[in-house]
Structures are given as C-alpha cells and as structure tokens.
Amino acid sequence: MFGLDAKDTRLLLIVAGLTMLAPFILNPFPEGSELAQFNAGYPDLMQRFVIFGIFAIGFNILFGLTGYLSFGHAAFLGVGSYAAIWMMKLLTMNVIPAIFMAVVIAGVFAVVVGWISLRRTGIYFSILTLAFAQMSFALAYSVLTPLTGGETGLQPKVADPRILDGALAEGATPRANFFGLEMSSSFELNVGNWLFTFNAGYYLAAIVMLISFYIAIRIFRSPFGMMLRAIKSNQNRLNYTGLNSKPYTLAAFVISGMYAGLAGGLMVAMDTQVGPERMFWTASGEVVLMTILGGAGTLIGPVLGAGMIKYMENIISKINSTILHEWFYWMPDGLEDFVVAIIYPFIGKGWHLTLGLMFMMVVIFLPGGLVEGGQRIARLFGRGKKSKTDEGKTKPSSTPAE
C-alpha cells in the first residue's frame, strides 16, 4: 500500500488512526472530574503535538540516520516562521503559500549552513550548527529588527498589503485560513460529561504530519537511507570504497532543515505571532531531547518523544500545590502535607526536574528510547503467551522402531 511493505503500512495506519482520533484519545476523563487535569485534547496542545512531531521527524533523518548531531536546528524553525509570516503580510492569509515558502527558504538556508558545517564532523559539527543558530537568534533579536520585529516579533496587521486578499471589513482582524476556512474554527461535541473539540487547524497540521511521516518512511527504506546508515556506521570506510559521502550528508541536512521550516510555517498558520525565541539554543536542545527520548533512528520514536515532552510542558507544569491538596484531601493532615511536599518539586515549575530524571533513566536503561521500552513489553507478553501455549501442548510419545 502506497509503495510500503505490510509492516510500514500497518505503522502508517496506526499513526493515522491515533492522529485522527486524537480528540477522543486525549480526553479520557470527563469534564469536572479531578483527573480532567490530565486531559490534553484541546486544539492548542494537539497542534503542538503534531507540529513538533514534524520537527522531530526531520531532525531524526539527520541524527538518527547519519549520526550527525545538530545543536542548531531551531534556526530553520525560526527562518521558516519568518518566511511564513511575511507571506501572510505581503501576499495572502491563506496558509498554503506561507507553508510552501517556509519550506523553500528554510531549505535554502540549510544548504548554506550545511555546506559550511559539514566540513567538520563530531563535536565540531555540533558547535558550528549551534553557532549558526545563535547568530541567527542575535540577528533576529536586534540587527534585523525591521524584518523580524526584534523582541516583540511580527504579526499580521490590517495595514499590510496582502495583494491577493480583498480589503478587510472595518474592525476585522486578519486570520490565517485554508481557502476561507479559518484555522481557529472548531466544532465541539458533548457526549455525557465529555467534551470533544475538533479544530480545523489541528486536522490540517495532522494531515501534513502524516504526509511528512510517510515521506520519512520512504527515505528510511530507500537506497538513500541505506547510504545514510552506512555513513553513521563508518564514514571513513565508506570513503575508502571511493564513494563521496558529502553529497549524502548535505542532502540529509537540507531535508532535515526543510522539515524544520515546515514545522515553523505550521506554527505560524496556527498562531500568527512570530518571535526570535524560536531560534534560541533551548529550542534546538528540545528537539534533541524529543528524538533521543522517543528513540533515535526509529520511525515513530521522535513523534512519541515530542508528544511526551509537550504533554509534560503543558499538563504537568500546570499542576500546583492546591491541586495536589485536592487529590490527597482524604489523608490525615500531617500525611497529606508530607506527600504534597514530596511531590511538589517534580510538578509545576519543577516539571523540568521530572523530565531530566526521565531522560536519565531512558538513556541508562532504554538506550533505544520509548520505542525500545514498548518492544521490551511486547516481547515480555509474547513470551508469556508462548509459554502458555507450550504448556498446553503434550510432548509426542516416542515409540520404539519395529
């Protein structure tokens, strides 16, 4: 199906099913219940899941396949965002030209950065990419203020030319749309005590993520992907065979940068406000964490890692001491205060501590990330089923030969 084997087709269909049914899956608890705090089925967070999933998928093509660790991928995210917002200011609020230009400009920028950075390998390559990202941040923050808006950033204004759009009505604000369908448009479904929200912007981003995931599968299974794995395995030995690895690493770098630009364009399509903070080094470090946490070199791992980190950032960080006291009110006063005091440093503003501990445990015990954890659990249950099947079988009795 779609040129994929049965295993990859099944994986693509699973991801598609989870993505399309996300409003239901991410809202398991009824509204008003104490556990509703853990629901993540609201549009803004669902959009972040898929957009940063795209970002991590692209980074994984570079890091997971070639082993080149970039600490500056946020530069392409920011460049794509600025390209998209300028398309909305100059051409149209339709998100398609904005997303297209974000991919193109990020790709061109990746060619320049990659051509210079890939002259070195290892830690020197990582430092070069970090330097480019920080220079881009500094330029966007101060030097290129007329183009980037500096610290305050950019957003569409009524006075912008937008040569393909008609004049706005008096008092109206420009809104991102897909051929007239606004990205903020939502439909709410009430089922008992549950509230499910279906957002147009989320489903557009989700479809783009599925296409990006499909392309990543094709890259992983292609001869080009095999060459990238060979580079990761032993680049010197590959060079000794007479093959020039530079074009392959540059192509992987550019493709990865275009994925980041695509994520940046989608971020603008969902929220038409762009600032230089998207280029800061912490954003680059975040995508590294996403990929390693989910499983570098795997197909679905970066998506899982992105979802895990964004869930913790938006859900775990909102839990405070008041909510903890509401959860443990049934305990004796002294014990309640003790339990809250133990848990409180790991939630709210301290959610980074929880993430750090989780990352340490993954690196130490699950080098393959969450994907390896899932595989171990599957093998464990598989062994259990196999042992039960073997117990039910009777050994064939051996009869002497006549």
Side-chain angles (χ1 to χ4, degrees), residues 37-58:
Q37 171 71 35
F38 294 102
N39 285 345
Y42 54 91
D44 180 66
L45 182 53
M46 292 194 298
Q47 291 167 7
R48 289 177 177 272
F49 284 159
V50 294
I51 291 173
F52 280 90
I54 293 172
F55 190 19
I57 290 170

Side-chain angles (χ1 to χ4, degrees), residues 53-69:
I54 293 172
F55 190 19
I57 290 170
F59 180 80
N60 188 47
I61 292 174
L62 177 67
F63 176 58
L65 288 183
T66 69
Y68 277 76
L69 177 58

Side-chain angles (χ1 to χ4, degrees), residues 61-83:
I61 292 174
L62 177 67
F63 176 58
L65 288 183
T66 69
Y68 277 76
L69 177 58
S70 169
F71 283 140
H73 252 52
F76 310 118
L77 183 76
V79 167
S81 295
Y82 281 117

Side-chain angles (χ1 to χ4, degrees), residues 19 21 68 155 238 283 296 338:
T19 304
L21 297 176
Y68 277 76
Q155 60 183 350
L238 185 66
F338 175 75

Side-chain angles (χ1 to χ4, degrees), residues 104-307:
V104 172
I105 298 299
V108 172
F109 187 52
V111 171
V112 176
V113 175
W115 186 77
I116 298 173
S117 301
L118 289 168
R119 294 173 179 271
R120 293 293 180 265
T121 58
I123 189 63
Y124 303 105
F125 166 80
S126 301
I127 295 301
L128 279 172
T129 56
L130 176 61
F132 271 108
Q134 286 303 99
M135 285 190 293
S136 301
F137 168 76
L139 289 172
Y141 193 83
S142 58
V143 180
L144 299 179
T145 298
L147 292 177
T148 62
E151 182 180 2
T152 57
L154 290 176
Q155 60 183 350
K157 298 180 180 178
V158 177
D160 293 331
R162 276 186 294 277
I163 59 177
L164 295 184
D165 287 354
L168 292 174
E170 186 177 352
T173 56
R175 300 180 184 277
N177 64 83
F178 178 71
F179 298 104
L181 177 63
E182 293 185 1
M183 294 296 94
S184 58
S185 300
S186 297
F187 168 74
E188 293 184 347
L189 174 65
N190 283 288
V191 180
N193 293 326
W194 280 265
L195 177 65
F196 305 108
T197 305
F198 304 89
N199 175 256
Y202 165 73
Y203 278 102
L204 174 66
I207 291 171
V208 174
M209 193 274 282
L210 289 175
I211 296 172
S212 303
F213 187 71
Y214 169 75
I215 294 173
I217 294 176
R218 298 303 299 265
I219 291 174
F220 268 65
R221 306 303 184 219
S222 67
F224 172 69
M226 187 177 296
M227 286 296 300
L228 298 183
R229 288 191 182 89
I231 291 170
K232 181 179 181 180
S233 177
N234 195 320
Q235 187 171 357
N236 289 331
R237 184 177 296 175
L238 185 66
N239 291 334
Y240 290 152
T241 64
L243 290 172
N244 184 8
S245 61
K246 295 296 182 183
Y248 293 96
T249 54
L250 180 59
F253 191 90
V254 172
I255 293 171
S256 184
M258 294 173 73
Y259 267 81
L262 174 61
L266 284 171
M267 289 176 71
V268 175
M270 302 305 123
D271 180 13
T272 54
Q273 172 73 38
V274 181
E277 69 280 353
R278 293 184 185 178
M279 294 182 172
F280 200 56
W281 67 269
T282 53
S284 297
E286 193 174 51
V287 74
V288 175
L289 291 178
M290 291 174 181
T291 305
I292 296 177
L293 183 62
T298 63
L299 285 166
I300 198 173
V303 180
L304 297 177

